[in-house]
Amino acid sequence: TDTNNIESDQMMNELIRIFSCFQNFENTLYRNVYTADTIQEICNCALDFLRNPIGIYTTSFQLITYAERKKPLPFMLFHPEDRYSFSTDEEVANLTMHPDFEKSLKFLSPMVFPSDLTSYRILYQNIRVEGKNVARIVACETDFPIRESDFLIMDTVTRVLNIAFKFSHSYIHLTRHARMNYLIDCLLDKSTTLKDDLDTLLENYG
C-alpha cells in the first residue's frame, strides 16, 4: 500500500505540475496582448509548446510574422526576408485549388492540412475578428510530429490572437491585398496608377 500511495502522490504532483505549467502559459499569452509587438510575442510564447515553426498569414497570403527554433540556416523553414512577404501567384493558385482549401476557411477549431502540397502536414486555425477570417496561424510539422495536445494549445493561442487582432490598430493594414500595397506605393511615389484598379480595390475594402 505504501508503494501505491507513493505512485499516487507522484501522479498527483505531475498533474499539478502540468496544470500549473499550462496556466502560466495561458497567463503569459494574455499578458502579451498588451505588449508593443503583441502578435510576435504571442508566437514566441506559443513556440515553446507547439515546438514546430509557426507562421501567421493574412487572408491575402502575406506572412506577417513567424517563430522558429534556431537551427542551422539550411534547415530553417522561415528566414528574416520572409516577414511581410506575399506568397507567389503559383503558391496561391496551388493552395486555393486544393480540394481541402475552401472548406478550411469555415473551420473554427484547429485542423490539419495534408502534406501533398508542402511535403509536411500543417496544423492551422483561422483567426477571426467580428465573425470574419482575418488571418491564419500555422504550425508546420517539420521538426516534431503533431501531438493531440497541440490542438488544445493551438486553440488557446488562437483565442488570444483573436483578441490581439481585434484591438490592434494595424491589423487592417496587414490584411490588405498585395495589389493594394503596390498601388499605395505608387501613390506615395507620385507615380501614375490605374484608376480602375484602385477604385475596384477600394470598393472591396468598403
Side-chain angles (χ1 to χ4, degrees), residues 1-15:
T1 56
D2 287 343
T3 302
N4 289 338
N5 288 337
I6 292 173
E7 290 178 351
S8 296
D9 288 344
Q10 289 175 339
M11 184 175 296
M12 181 60 67
N13 289 336
E14 182 63 14
L15 287 173

Side-chain angles (χ1 to χ4, degrees), residues 39 56-59 64 101-111 124-137 154-168 171-172 175:
I39 297 172
I56 295 184
Y57 290 86
T58 69
T59 51
I64 58 174
F101 177 74
E102 186 173 353
K103 61 184 179 182
S104 77
L105 300 174
K106 302 175 183 178
F107 292 130
L108 302 181
S109 301
M111 301 295 290
Y124 71 90
Q125 190 165 357
N126 295 315
I127 300 167
R128 297 167 64 81
V129 173
E130 297 178 353
K132 296 182 179 180
N133 292 347
V134 297
R136 174 176 291 186
I137 179 173
M154 176 68 83
D155 191 55
T156 302
V157 172
T158 303
R159 281 191 283 110
V160 178
L161 284 169
N162 290 339
I163 298 171
F165 270 77
K166 182 177 181 179
F167 293 103
S168 171
Y171 95 84
I172 293 177
T175 56

